[in-house]
Amino acid sequence: MITLASDFGSPYPAAMKGVIRRHTSAEMIDVAHDLPRGDPRSAAFWLRFVLPEFPPAVHCAVVDPGVGTDRDALVVHAGSHVLVAPDNGLTMPPARALAGEEGPEAFVVDVEDPASATFHGRDVFAPTATRIRAVLDGGPDATTPADVADALAAMDDLSPAADPVDLTLPEPSVERDGDGDAVAVDGEVLVVDRFGNAVTNVPGELIRGREWIRVNGELTPVAETFGAVDSGDRLVTVGSHGYVECDVNDGRGDGAFDLRPGSEVRLVADNVSL
Amino acid sequence: MITLASDFGSPYPAAMKGVIRRHTSAEMIDVAHDLPRGDPRSAAFWLRFVLPEFPPAVHCAVVDPGVGTDRDALVVHAGSHVLVAPDNGLTMPPARALAGEEGPEAFVVDVEDPASATFHGRDVFAPTATRIRAVLDGGPDATTPADVADALAAMDDLSPAADPVDLTLPEPSVERDGDGDAVAVDGEVLVVDRFGNAVTNVPGELIRGREWIRVNGELTPVAETFGAVDSGDRLVTVGSHGYVECDVNDGRGDGAFDLRPGSEVRLVADNVSL
Amino acid sequence: MITLASDFGSPYPAAMKGVIRRHTSAEMIDVAHDLPRGDPRSAAFWLRFVLPEFPPAVHCAVVDPGVGTDRDALVVHAGSHVLVAPDNGLTMPPARALAGEEGPEAFVVDVEDPASATFHGRDVFAPTATRIRAVLDGGPDATTPADVADALAAMDDLSPAADPVDLTLPEPSVERDGDGDAVAVDGEVLVVDRFGNAVTNVPGELIRGREWIRVNGELTPVAETFGAVDSGDRLVTVGSHGYVECDVNDGRGDGAFDLRPGSEVRLVADNVSL
């Protein structure tokens, strides 16, 4: 299986699929092709959320603001998975999630002159993913991390990456009271989804058990589900990724809370009962 | 085969596909993931239109404004097809279309605590569809309604749904003349598609043979094809779903006729020749 | 393999997939379903760009402003590929790219009364692609142009197209200096992609080696990559399709250069060094 993720829109990913299909019959599954344009951090967030749901696979992820510059093409070994992507850090958060304790290991691809300077998805990353897929499919079942390591070690166009770009999603800072309970958290918005839900970097456990919380000063109910508040009302919830989201039932949280990716979010505990 | 439909946008459906692929190699086909948000009625209309084109399949359809509340998860047996969806009525119109005279039969899924309160597509519906697919694929060919009924009866986490939410797409009211011909119809807009075509609940046969009709008072040509009127001109046609649409050739009918889902549409026969 | 391209949005293509899946298990790959509405020329550009990446396949392409009129349904033999599409010219540019020196050969499909007047994607083109796929899959491997020709010759509902609509993407006019170097080119914008890149009909080799060029009078750097200019700055580059694009790094070229499909673009060589 090869998964495909990009910010390419359409029909560019189809060109990648044609290239892949010329050389392998492996299944292709789209993760997304409308990732925020040229934003490796958002891509990293979404891939960290989605890729761990998959069985062992080769994941080709191209959000590549540096296309055509001398940035490297990377192959990252992460547990039983392999990621193929430009060296801008986007693979690191999902690779850490996939690799477990062992941690990910990055290789630089020895790329020959690509056919274009602007479409390395077609000319570099899809062919690389295809070759890795073929090596994995040609060997033993390759479902353990050790099998994958062996397969990658056998490829003579990969060399260990000396200093791959790392990218760490920002961590919130937490103030705690004498009992160790979080009373205030300074975080930020990581991504906004199609529904307008503003997903922060604040882990859900920091607000669990609270009924109300101040979001940038505004008292807001904490709810498990959208349906717990009236249509059009604001709420704070813990999304399926485990992070605090600022939402509106039947509406857009980004608009109501005036938040966009990168916006600061200060959450303050408030034990009000109304 | 498992079809997938939702209002999730991207990349949430990929997480569902990962979950499915961990347990079955069954083919996955997307119906749509941009169904109108939180609107089971629109979803029901589109699924009733699309699903009958498919061979026997498991259809996983998640438009779920009540996610995380105590609404049930349903499995609906409809002919040689199975639908898996939240209990909000969205399955009923397509299930009736798929089931034929026998009618659909609904079961409640005994759901264990899902991992999230907000992403039951991943945590409840995809796993349920996967298990049903595995049972169907493990038994005989399961292409007849009786085979499917047997397979579902063998699953011990399904129990008959006592009172599933029904949802009936609204029916127009028709005034007829002495000969029984429709002379006026009061209907409403069910959905608006990507082209801005406003699809009503008025069956096409009610206007067939007419050359002109008044749409909310406005005299409008009835045509078989967009090309029958000039670019930018309004027309009324019978769409591929068999219902009357209010359209504009090379333009948007919703704007020109001032219609949106739920808008009332009064069609009055007019034998004018201009 | 059957590829699918259209301007249908969603969920119409799923109805086509259901129809195809009722009769063949051939793989289906989406090229795009958000092609510019009713615009065969844009479709032709994108298909000419994408389809040559694929191994031999049946390509079903439906951008069909004349649906329901008496325009023919075409099957076009192009090398080891087959295109199925309305007779409005959209197949011709990709078919010429796929066919090589031999050139494409078009057949008219003898269409029986389709179920709808407005959704020939479902009622005419998908069934035709399915039947061709079945004939190809039932015969020898059908990977050579001669195999494909034999398969099509065996289908009794195809007859040679006497006068298929041709569509030729416009060619730019070029002024050269005494050495034969291009000094001015009058071209036009063919398409604008998701990034706002305005893709012209000017072959990249006409500007290769230049460092600056005037685009409709405005001095603009020629660069190999977006990253060569600052974020927000304009550039001219050669896209992965081989044509000159008017772009903005991290922005939209169509807005900055005031260009849309069909806009005239005059490129004038300028040997300025700033």
Side-chain angles (χ1 to χ4, degrees):
Chain A
M1 190 196 316
I2 297 174
T3 77
L4 299 168
S6 76
D7 61 356
F8 289 159
S10 146
Y12 295 100
M16 296 172 67
K17 292 179 185 179
V19 167
I20 292 171
R21 194 49 87 237
R22 281 214 306 273
H23 299 291
T24 171
S25 61
E27 183 178 24
M28 300 181 281
I29 297 184
D30 291 314
V31 169
H33 293 293
D34 59 353
L35 291 171
R37 176 180 176 185
D39 178 1
R41 199 180 82 156
S42 289
F45 175 85
W46 287 117
L47 294 175
R48 186 181 66 176
F49 173 58
V50 170
L51 299 189
E53 305 295 347
F54 279 87
V58 175
H59 306 286
C60 185
V62 193
V63 172
D64 192 12
V67 62
T69 65
D70 60 1
R71 65 100 189 85
D72 285 324
L74 287 191
V75 166
V76 180
H77 173 209
S80 299
H81 297 255
V82 179
L83 294 94
V84 180
D87 181 16
N88 60 28
L90 84 89
T91 60
M92 291 306 165
R96 280 188 289 263
L98 292 167
E101 285 190 11
E102 193 96 348
E105 192 179 358
F107 300 86
V108 173
V109 185
D110 183 15
V111 175
E112 298 189 23
D113 243 13
S116 77
T118 53
F119 192 12
H120 287 190
R122 178 191 67 184
D123 298 332
V124 175
F125 299 106
T128 300
T130 304
R131 279 181 306 111
I132 292 171
R133 188 71 265 165
V135 170
L136 290 170
D137 291 342
D141 267 1
T143 51
T144 72
D147 293 330
V148 175
D150 288 348
L152 295 182
M155 297 186 66
D156 56 13
D157 59 346
L158 300 185
S159 52
D163 188 23
V165 175
D166 199 359
L167 181 157
T168 309
L169 294 172
E171 296 289 333
S173 76
V174 186
E175 298 167 27
R176 295 179 187 276
D177 63 14
D179 297 334
D181 288 336
V183 292
V185 186
D186 286 292
E188 72 174 79
V189 174
L190 294 179
V191 297
V192 172
D193 72 12
R194 183 201 178 202
F195 298 133
N197 299 325
V199 182
T200 74
N201 63 343
V202 179
E205 56 265 27
L206 292 181
I207 67 161
R208 225 150 342 220
R210 304 269 172 205
E211 289 184 29
W212 295 87
I213 207 156
R214 287 192 184 274
V215 179
N216 291 343
E218 188 93 29
L219 198 60
T220 309
V222 178
E224 282 210 5
T225 66
F226 289 83
V229 303
D230 287 341
S231 178
D233 277 6
R234 296 198 257 195
L235 70 156
V236 160
T237 189
V238 179
S240 49
H241 26 62
Y243 292 92
V244 172
E245 290 184 359
C246 300
D247 307 331
V248 167
N249 187 21
D250 295 330
R252 295 189 63 92
D254 58 346
F257 288 93
D258 192 22
L259 297 173
R260 53 203 57 77
S263 293
E264 294 178 5
V265 178
R266 179 169 174 82
L267 301 179
V268 178
D270 202 308
N271 293 316
V272 72
S273 67
L274 296 180
Chain B
M1 190 197 314
I2 297 175
T3 77
L4 298 168
S6 75
D7 61 356
F8 289 159
S10 145
Y12 296 101
M16 297 173 66
K17 292 179 186 179
V19 167
I20 291 171
R21 193 48 87 236
R22 283 214 304 274
H23 299 290
T24 171
S25 61
E27 184 178 26
M28 300 182 281
I29 297 184
D30 291 314
V31 169
H33 294 292
D34 59 354
L35 291 171
R37 176 180 174 186
D39 178 1
R41 198 178 84 157
S42 289
F45 175 85
W46 288 117
L47 294 176
R48 186 181 66 177
F49 173 59
V50 170
L51 300 189
E53 305 295 348
F54 278 87
V58 175
H59 305 286
C60 185
V62 193
V63 172
D64 191 11
V67 62
T69 66
D70 60 0
R71 65 101 189 85
D72 286 324
L74 287 190
V75 166
V76 180
H77 174 209
S80 299
H81 297 255
V82 179
L83 295 94
V84 180
D87 181 17
N88 60 27
L90 83 86
T91 59
M92 291 305 164
R96 280 190 287 264
L98 293 166
E101 285 189 12
E102 195 97 346
E105 191 177 359
F107 301 86
V108 173
V109 186
D110 184 15
V111 176
E112 298 189 24
D113 245 13
S116 77
T118 53
F119 192 11
H120 287 189
R122 178 192 66 184
D123 298 332
V124 174
F125 299 106
T128 300
T130 305
R131 281 182 305 113
I132 292 172
R133 187 70 265 163
V135 170
L136 290 170
D137 291 343
D141 268 0
T143 51
T144 72
D147 294 329
V148 175
D150 289 347
L152 295 183
M155 297 184 67
D156 56 14
D157 60 345
L158 299 185
S159 52
D163 189 22
V165 175
D166 199 359
L167 182 157
T168 309
L169 294 172
E171 296 289 332
S173 76
V174 185
E175 297 167 28
R176 294 179 188 274
D177 63 14
D179 298 333
D181 288 337
V183 292
V185 186
D186 286 290
E188 73 174 79
V189 174
L190 295 178
V191 297
V192 172
D193 72 13
R194 181 198 181 204
F195 299 133
N197 299 325
V199 182
T200 75
N201 63 342
V202 179
E205 56 265 26
L206 291 180
I207 67 162
R208 237 173 307 243
R210 303 271 173 203
E211 289 185 29
W212 294 87
I213 207 158
R214 287 191 185 273
V215 179
N216 291 343
E218 188 94 28
L219 198 60
T220 308
V222 178
E224 282 208 6
T225 66
F226 288 84
V229 303
D230 288 341
S231 179
D233 277 7
R234 297 198 257 195
L235 71 155
V236 160
T237 188
V238 179
S240 49
H241 26 64
Y243 291 91
V244 172
E245 291 183 0
C246 301
D247 306 331
V248 166
N249 186 20
D250 296 329
R252 295 189 65 89
D254 57 345
F257 287 93
D258 192 21
L259 296 174
R260 53 202 57 79
S263 294
E264 294 179 5
V265 178
R266 181 171 173 83
L267 302 178
V268 178
D270 201 309
N271 293 316
V272 72
S273 67
L274 296 178
Chain C
M1 190 196 314
I2 297 175
T3 77
L4 298 169
S6 76
D7 61 356
F8 289 159
S10 147
Y12 296 100
M16 297 172 66
K17 292 179 185 179
V19 167
I20 291 170
R21 193 50 87 235
R22 283 215 304 274
H23 299 291
T24 172
S25 60
E27 183 179 26
M28 300 181 281
I29 297 184
D30 291 313
V31 170
H33 293 293
D34 59 353
L35 292 171
R37 177 180 175 186
D39 178 0
R41 198 179 83 157
S42 289
F45 175 84
W46 287 118
L47 295 175
R48 185 181 66 178
F49 173 58
V50 170
L51 299 189
E53 305 294 347
F54 279 86
V58 175
H59 306 286
C60 185
V62 193
V63 172
D64 191 12
V67 62
T69 66
D70 59 0
R71 65 100 190 83
D72 285 325
L74 287 191
V75 166
V76 180
H77 174 208
S80 298
H81 297 255
V82 179
L83 294 94
V84 180
D87 182 17
N88 60 29
L90 83 89
T91 60
M92 291 306 164
R96 280 188 288 262
L98 293 166
E101 285 190 11
E102 194 96 345
E105 191 178 358
F107 300 86
V108 173
V109 185
D110 183 13
V111 175
E112 298 190 24
D113 244 12
S116 77
T118 53
F119 192 11
H120 287 188
R122 178 191 67 182
D123 298 332
V124 174
F125 298 106
T128 300
T130 305
R131 281 182 303 112
I132 292 171
R133 187 70 267 164
V135 170
L136 289 171
D137 291 341
D141 268 1
T143 50
T144 72
D147 292 329
V148 175
D150 288 348
L152 296 181
M155 298 185 65
D156 57 13
D157 59 346
L158 300 184
S159 51
D163 189 22
V165 174
D166 199 359
L167 183 158
T168 308
L169 294 173
E171 296 289 332
S173 76
V174 185
E175 298 167 28
R176 294 178 188 276
D177 63 14
D179 297 334
D181 288 336
V183 292
V185 185
D186 286 292
E188 74 174 77
V189 174
L190 294 179
V191 296
V192 172
D193 72 14
R194 182 197 180 205
F195 299 132
N197 300 325
V199 182
T200 74
N201 64 342
V202 179
E205 57 263 26
L206 291 181
I207 66 162
R208 230 162 324 234
R210 303 270 173 203
E211 289 184 30
W212 294 87
I213 206 158
R214 287 192 184 274
V215 179
N216 291 343
E218 188 92 29
L219 198 61
T220 308
V222 177
E224 282 208 7
T225 68
F226 288 84
V229 303
D230 288 341
S231 179
D233 277 6
R234 296 197 257 196
L235 71 156
V236 159
T237 188
V238 178
S240 49
H241 25 64
Y243 291 92
V244 172
E245 291 183 1
C246 301
D247 307 331
V248 168
N249 186 19
D250 295 328
R252 296 189 63 90
D254 57 345
F257 288 93
D258 192 22
L259 297 173
R260 53 202 57 77
S263 294
E264 294 179 3
V265 178
R266 180 170 174 82
L267 302 178
V268 178
D270 201 309
N271 293 317
V272 72
S273 67
L274 295 179

